[in-house]
Amino acid sequence: MAVVEGEKIDIGFSGRRCIHSRNCVLGDPRVFVPNAPGQWIHPEAASVEKVVALAEACPSGAITYVRKDGGPQEKPPVVNTVRIRENGPLALHAEIVLGGETFFRATLCRCGASENKPFCDGSHTKAGFTATGEPPLKDPPALEARNGPLTVTPTTNGPLKLEGNVEIVTGTGHTVDRTQRAFLCRCGHSANKPFCDGSHKKVGFVG
């Protein structure tokens, strides 16, 4: 991860996790300069509060920050969520524990084509991946707790295993499930997306 230091706030950027949602450059092209030949991140070009808002709007978690003005650092959400993007990845917002790291935002591949698994790299577009972001809704009971660590494990050649309090929601925010354990498809072939139905074995998914 690259870090650009500012007087009041440092901005971190992980190219490995970026999905080019362009929330940053559209949010403030003075801070995140599009198509710049050199340095494209400028922490001093806006207020600390604006930089914080821009960073926290990054769905992939590629942009992070460390405040140096005594203000609050980023905190995990009150409700852990997995949002199902139409024809696209799974967007997680939680206290995510994955691969020995803890972070709060991530977009994870569900088409099976990413070359940066478990993270999305935009391959769903090239692959012509089609999957609804509005699967059938359930009416599960409320969880006793809705936050806390969410352990995410990409199982070998199989689904994403989620362990912890989490609400799985449609792209428009309707609840698909509330659970403490789920197996989500990442091969792209399940007939029960976003959930795994074992199709990874039939198609020989590797990842």
Side-chain angles (χ1 to χ4, degrees), residues 119-144:
F119 301 103
C120 171
D121 70 355
S123 291
H124 53 274
T125 302
K126 299 174 188 174
F129 177 65
T130 301
T132 183
E134 304 289 324
L137 307 181
K138 298 181 182 179
D139 187 22
L143 298 170
E144 289 187 18

Side-chain angles (χ1 to χ4, degrees), residues 9-186:
I9 191 168
D10 295 343
I11 299 176
F13 176 72
S14 172
R16 179 171 179 257
R17 289 173 53 190
C18 180
I19 61 165
H20 306 288
S21 67
R22 303 191 73 232
N23 286 11
C24 55
V25 297
L26 294 175
D28 196 322
R30 298 168 303 165
V31 179
F32 299 97
V33 182
N35 305 314
Q39 179 57 260
W40 66 286
I41 299 176
H42 301 276
E44 307 301 330
S47 68
V48 170
E49 287 73 21
K50 181 63 180 290
V51 173
V52 166
L54 289 168
E56 293 189 2
C58 173
S60 68
I63 297 172
T64 54
Y65 64 86
V66 176
R67 295 184 69 155
K68 299 153 81 172
D69 64 347
Q73 307 295 346
E74 184 171 4
K75 296 179 181 178
V78 176
V79 181
N80 293 340
T81 56
V82 175
R83 292 185 180 271
I84 307 161
R85 299 302 187 201
E86 185 82 15
N87 302 330
L90 299 166
L92 279 64
H93 191 200
E95 185 181 342
I96 302 162
V97 181
L98 171 60
E101 296 183 79
T102 299
F103 41 87
F104 302 138
R105 292 166 281 122
T107 46
L108 303 184
C109 175
R110 71 176 181 127
C111 74
S114 173
E115 295 183 6
N116 188 32
K117 298 180 185 70
F119 301 103
C120 171
D121 70 355
S123 291
H124 53 274
T125 302
K126 299 174 188 174
F129 177 65
T130 301
T132 183
E134 304 289 324
L137 307 181
K138 298 181 182 179
D139 187 22
L143 298 170
E144 289 187 18
R146 305 173 76 189
N147 57 3
L150 179 66
T151 301
V152 179
T153 306
T155 64
T156 303
N157 303 332
L160 281 173
K161 179 169 69 170
L162 305 185
E163 296 172 292
N165 301 313
V166 65
E167 298 198 16
I168 301 169
V169 298
T170 68
T172 54
H174 299 289
T175 300
V176 174
D177 201 3
R178 300 182 182 96
T179 185
Q180 293 178 308
R181 184 179 176 89
F183 292 87
L184 303 183
C185 174
R186 67 189 189 102

